[in-house]
Amino acid sequence: MDVNGINRLASSVADAGLKQEASFAVLKKAMKIESESAATLLETIQPVSKVSLPAHLGRNINTTA
């Protein structure tokens, strides 16, 4: 084998590994930001208040309409 070929191969493998590590770091950061945004959004949701309806509402269904 050619020594220069081996050197180029080793260099490209190292570059690929470095690029993959950088991609994973960016992905982890994006996932962290997304989870923080989702948590903030869930905290801002107002609780639903129950409306008291009269007792006669909601017991019958009009099936002829």
Side-chain angles (χ1 to χ4, degrees):
M1 284 192 97
D2 184 19
V3 175
N4 289 332
I6 294 172
N7 188 18
R8 281 191 296 256
L9 178 64
S11 182
S12 85
V13 168
D15 287 344
L18 182 61
K19 288 178 184 177
Q20 187 176 19
E21 287 179 25
S23 295
F24 280 130
V26 170
L27 177 64
K28 286 181 182 181
K29 182 74 173 177
M31 289 173 63
K32 181 180 177 185
I33 291 170
E34 188 69 25
S35 67
E36 290 172 354
S37 297
T40 303
L41 182 62
L42 289 174
E43 289 173 2
T44 60
I45 296 175
Q46 299 292 327
V48 178
S49 62
K50 293 190 177 189
V51 177
S52 295
L53 296 176
H56 69 280
L57 290 178
R59 290 189 290 156
N60 300 322
I61 299 174
N62 184 358
T63 59
T64 60

